[in-house]
Amino acid sequence: MSNKVNKNAVRAGAISAGTMLMLLMSSPAFALTRDDGDDPGPGLSVINTLGLYVAAPIVLFLVIAGLTMVLARNSDNSATHAVNTHHSR
């Protein structure tokens, strides 16, 4: 096994071990006991949850993509325009 492959394997193992350690430390084992000052609000309905975590990101993505396309179309920078690869002879 080459030295580069060995270094990559060690790096991958270290990242995996660090990720597992963080996941174990953030486990909800202590979530059953209430902390002082812990005052949760009312829960979200299904419609609110879908709107917040599904619809809002999709709308935000579409707005950003639309603005990018409009601004690229109006740009003078040739790198933002599609390049015609078919040359007529």
Side-chain angles (χ1 to χ4, degrees):
M1 188 184 307
S2 71
N3 194 17
K4 185 176 182 180
V5 173
N6 193 14
K7 283 183 182 179
N8 286 340
V10 169
R11 183 178 299 138
I15 290 173
S16 298
T19 303
M20 286 303 297
L21 183 63
M22 291 297 162
L23 286 173
L24 288 173
M25 286 174 40
S26 66
S27 69
F30 299 109
L32 297 176
T33 59
R34 307 293 292 183
D35 290 336
D36 290 338
D38 191 12
D39 187 19
L44 295 174
S45 69
V46 173
I47 299 299
N48 289 342
T49 303
L50 289 176
L52 184 63
Y53 295 109
V54 176
I58 291 173
V59 168
L60 188 62
F61 173 79
L62 292 175
V63 167
I64 292 171
L67 285 173
T68 303
M69 289 170 49
V70 167
L71 293 175
R73 185 177 301 144
N74 295 334
S75 172
D76 291 335
N77 187 356
S78 63
T80 62
H81 300 290
V83 178
N84 187 3
T85 57
H86 300 290
H87 300 289
S88 59
R89 292 182 182 225

